[in-house]
Amino acid sequence: YVRTEDHPVLNDLKAEGVQIDSFDFVYEKHDTFAPVYREIADILIEKAKVSPVVYAVPGHPLVAEQTVQYLVEAERAGEIELVIEGGQSFLDPIFASLRIDPIDGFQLVDGTSLSIDELNMRQHILIGQVYDEFSASEVKLTLMEKYRDDYPVTIVTAAGSNEELLRTVPLYELDQAAELNNLT
């Protein structure tokens, strides 16, 4: 199982004959992410009670993957047993693309639940879950509460891949500056 088929590596896996079932249908049923992630986890938990399940997510399973956190909770409750295999998260390519050292301090925050009061303006701020114009607009409006309108922000898409794209724009252009997707 995969959380979504919307990832370039899956074409290679399918070409190698790997059978893939995605949870994209769950995204179509809900308007927000919280019930999507909960439903995916619930389905996986029920399937894992019957037979072993392999569940793949883009990147590292313990970095910005709410479905995996729900599975960890189920393991702690004794419902299932997990074996978590690492993968490369998007963080290493982001650090390399932006030429920043995380030792200088950084925050990784969810753009869908961004709170201006939680941001440390003295650190690099990486904002995930900015995948469309609406989410970018919400992030922009939140950041404009603390940052000047022309503050430079860098939009990173497909970090570390052949399709990597970095674009620095003034904050006020964030929601109009680039094509946004699940790799942004």
Side-chain angles (χ1 to χ4, degrees), residues 28-113:
E28 296 167 9
K29 292 170 47 178
H30 301 283
D31 293 331
T32 60
F33 284 124
V36 169
Y37 298 149
R38 181 77 259 174
E39 183 173 338
I40 291 170
D42 289 344
I43 292 169
L44 289 167
I45 291 165
E46 290 308 309
K47 289 185 179 294
K49 289 178 180 178
V50 177
S51 63
V53 171
V54 174
Y55 175 56
V57 296
H60 194 287
L62 294 173
V63 177
E65 285 295 338
Q66 185 60 49
T67 56
V68 175
Q69 291 306 311
Y70 288 138
L71 297 174
V72 168
E73 288 174 13
E75 180 185 46
R76 287 184 181 137
E79 295 180 63
I80 60 172
E81 188 176 316
L82 288 178
V83 175
I84 297 177
E85 299 290 338
Q88 182 177 353
S89 78
F90 62 92
L91 292 175
D92 287 336
I94 288 279
F95 295 144
S97 297
L98 296 174
R99 307 291 194 258
I100 60 176
D101 185 344
I103 196 76
D104 295 334
F106 81 96
Q107 289 181 273
L108 173 60
V109 296
D110 183 341
T112 63
S113 61

Side-chain angles (χ1 to χ4, degrees), residues 61-163:
L62 294 173
V63 177
E65 285 295 338
Q66 185 60 49
T67 56
V68 175
Q69 291 306 311
Y70 288 138
L71 297 174
V72 168
E73 288 174 13
E75 180 185 46
R76 287 184 181 137
E79 295 180 63
I80 60 172
E81 188 176 316
L82 288 178
V83 175
I84 297 177
E85 299 290 338
Q88 182 177 353
S89 78
F90 62 92
L91 292 175
D92 287 336
I94 288 279
F95 295 144
S97 297
L98 296 174
R99 307 291 194 258
I100 60 176
D101 185 344
I103 196 76
D104 295 334
F106 81 96
Q107 289 181 273
L108 173 60
V109 296
D110 183 341
T112 63
S113 61
L114 186 61
S115 170
I116 200 66
D117 296 326
E118 297 173 357
L119 299 182
N120 180 345
M121 293 177 68
R122 296 173 191 236
Q123 295 181 337
H124 301 287
I125 300 172
L126 305 177
I127 305 173
Q129 302 283 30
V130 184
Y131 50 87
D132 63 12
E133 190 175 314
F134 179 77
S135 61
S137 180
E138 291 294 309
V139 166
K140 174 185 81 172
L141 293 173
T142 301
L143 292 176
M144 287 175 123
E145 293 177 33
K146 259 193 183 172
Y147 295 88
R148 65 183 196 275
D149 292 357
D150 65 344
Y151 191 86
V153 295
T154 302
I155 302 165
V156 182
T157 302
S161 76
N162 293 337
E163 298 174 18

